[in-house]
């Protein structure tokens, strides 16, 4: 992760929970919590734990984040031990954990190939990695295109609250390949916001039509989506 990323989260940590206290984030979090409760177990590390959203769901867990200010916010919610550092350089021994959690944009902002290798290194054989990535794509694309095409992967710049962050656009195909090529097998795969677009950072409620689209989303066999979430097992 870059210095700019650390500075951004240090300066905005006190605003993070409020920024993501909205219907879109709650919809995403509901899936995250179900997956974490079902597949996590044993000693767990939450890479990019942020303000500690998931730390309260687990007993034997370590919070890990690049931002000291985000960890200060997490410390208010949980008694879990907290460690500052980068996803590309995790200061724990080989085979230290049973579960790794790495949710929502951490891999987008990191050197993701190195980060996934680090996840493999610190996980025990048979351990589980629960991860998600954001995949941005053209809003004007038709539903038919969204169901049939795999978007091109690229590096883009995300502008948030005056900051410009380098972000990897990770397609579903690349996301799965990234873990499978680094010693993991896929247990579960979920794609969110295939048809209905999210409103990140907005307080905007979904309309009745948009809620219907979200329900239909679950049934659509799309290659592309705005959020890819998966559970992997170290083999």
């Amino acid at each position: 992760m870059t210095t700019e990323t650390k500075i951004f989260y240090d300066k905005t940590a006190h605003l993070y929970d409020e920024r993501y206290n909205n219907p879109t984030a709650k919809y995403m979090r509901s899936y995250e919590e179900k997956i974490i409760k079902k597949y996590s177990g044993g000693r767990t590390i939450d890479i990019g734990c942020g303000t500690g959203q998931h730390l309260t769901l687990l007993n034997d867990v370590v919070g890990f984040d690049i931002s000291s200010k985000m960890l200060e916010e997490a410390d208010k919610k949980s008694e879990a031990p907290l460690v500052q550092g980068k996803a590309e350089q995790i200061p724990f021994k080989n085979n230290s954990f049973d579960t790794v959690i790495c949710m929502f944009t951490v891999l987008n902002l990191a050197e993701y190939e190195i980060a996934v290798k680090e996840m493999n290194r610190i996980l025990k054989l048979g351990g589980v990695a629960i991860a998600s990535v954001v995949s941005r794509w053209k809003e004007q694309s038709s539903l038919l295109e969204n169901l049939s095409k795999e978007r091109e992967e690229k590096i883009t710049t995300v502008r948030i609250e005056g900051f410009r962050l380098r972000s990897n656009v990770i397609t579903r195909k690349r996301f799965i390949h990234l873990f499978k090529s680094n010693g993991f097998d896929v247990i579960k795969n979920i794609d969110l916001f295939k048809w209905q677009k999210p409103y990140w950072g907005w307080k905007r409620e979904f309309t009745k039509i948009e809620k219907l689209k979200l329900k239909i989303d679950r049934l659509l066999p799309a290659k592309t989506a705005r959020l890819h979430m998966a559970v992997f097992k170290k083999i």
Side-chain angles (χ1 to χ4, degrees), residues 130-193:
I130 304 171
S132 68
V133 294
V134 175
S135 183
R136 296 170 184 83
W137 51 314
K138 294 181 180 179
E139 299 295 349
Q140 65 267 30
S141 300
S142 69
L143 175 60
L144 181 60
E145 289 178 320
N146 297 338
L147 292 174
S148 62
K149 291 185 179 179
E150 180 73 53
R151 298 297 170 190
E152 181 182 356
E153 182 176 356
K154 61 182 179 179
I155 297 174
T156 187
T157 299
V158 183
R159 292 177 176 82
I160 309 176
E161 298 179 12
F163 289 84
R164 297 180 64 188
L165 304 179
R166 175 186 176 279
S167 176
N168 303 297
V169 178
I170 305 175
T171 63
R172 182 180 189 271
K173 181 178 180 180
R174 176 57 181 157
F175 179 48
I176 300 300
H177 176 74
L178 176 63
F179 280 84
K180 292 186 74 172
S181 63
N182 283 290
F184 290 92
D185 200 3
V186 184
I187 298 176
K188 177 76 173 179
N189 186 65
I190 297 172
D191 299 310
L192 298 181
F193 306 114

Side-chain angles (χ1 to χ4, degrees), residues 174-233:
R174 176 57 181 157
F175 179 48
I176 300 300
H177 176 74
L178 176 63
F179 280 84
K180 292 186 74 172
S181 63
N182 283 290
F184 290 92
D185 200 3
V186 184
I187 298 176
K188 177 76 173 179
N189 186 65
I190 297 172
D191 299 310
L192 298 181
F193 306 114
K194 287 175 277 190
W195 188 8
Q196 175 54 46
K197 69 179 181 180
Y199 299 106
W200 303 119
W202 294 27
K203 295 297 182 181
R204 185 186 188 287
E205 293 283 348
F206 291 113
T207 65
K208 290 183 180 180
I209 296 297
E210 289 171 337
K211 287 179 180 178
L212 178 60
K213 287 183 178 180
L214 288 173
K215 290 181 179 180
I216 295 174
D217 258 0
R218 304 172 193 174
L219 306 175
L220 296 177
K223 290 185 177 181
T224 55
R226 283 122 168 139
L227 187 87
H228 305 297
M229 186 185 305
V231 181
F232 303 95
K233 181 179 181 180

